[in-house]
Amino acid sequence: MNELYPLVEVSVVLIEDAKGRLLVDYNEPWSGFTFPMTKVRDLPASSPNSEAPVKETALAAALRAAAEVLGRALLSDALTQLPVELPPYTQSNRDGQWKRYTFHLFTLTMHEPVRPLPHHVANWLTIAELQSLEPMSPTVGRILESLPD
């Protein structure tokens, strides 16, 4: 059954500010706000003699997702991976296809004020606002439901 549905591996970063709000960024193809996230990429082979691509680490993808919104380089130990699992099968709202997702969730706390890059439409929102405001990607709700209290 797994072969019927493409596997999409995604790193997600829950960026929290000093007030406990989380950063969401508007994703135009999804027509809604979502946490900074990106697919874990297949990287080119590491040497001319190697034919197999190398898989990017979930941490490297998470650092890239955070940097794309924040516009700054980060130390790898700034992110903490959460031991959370989300149900794998989801129908994509963008293309309607059923896919198997593996989500790698990370947290990042920003102690100083942060303004997202100018070309990003980002908001700092409380969990209550994330649960009530629209348009919010359904993925936001799935992630919030999976978090420990």
Side-chain angles (χ1 to χ4, degrees), residues 11-119:
S11 286
V12 181
V13 186
L14 304 177
I15 303 174
E16 187 176 20
D17 70 3
K19 297 178 183 177
R21 301 174 301 177
L22 296 170
L23 184 68
V24 289
D25 189 27
Y26 189 76
N27 184 311
E28 192 168 333
W30 292 3
S31 300
F33 286 90
T34 191
F35 298 118
M37 65 177 65
T38 190
K39 289 181 185 176
V40 176
R41 296 177 178 167
D42 285 328
L43 303 173
S46 57
S47 71
N49 298 330
S50 176
E51 294 180 21
V54 177
K55 190 76 147 175
E56 178 181 36
T57 67
L59 176 59
L63 288 163
R64 185 166 42 82
E68 286 174 1
V69 178
L70 298 174
R72 65 172 63 180
L74 300 164
L75 294 170
S76 60
D77 65 356
L79 275 66
T80 302
Q81 189 163 10
L82 297 174
V84 174
E85 288 189 31
L86 277 76
Y89 293 97
T90 303
Q91 187 175 22
S92 168
N93 282 354
R94 186 179 57 81
D95 63 18
Q97 299 291 317
W98 279 91
K99 298 175 184 172
R100 287 183 302 137
Y101 287 91
T102 299
F103 288 96
H104 303 280
L105 270 59
F106 293 85
T107 60
L108 170 65
T109 302
M110 303 302 296
H111 298 287
E112 70 276 358
V114 174
R115 286 205 170 114
L117 286 175
H119 60 278

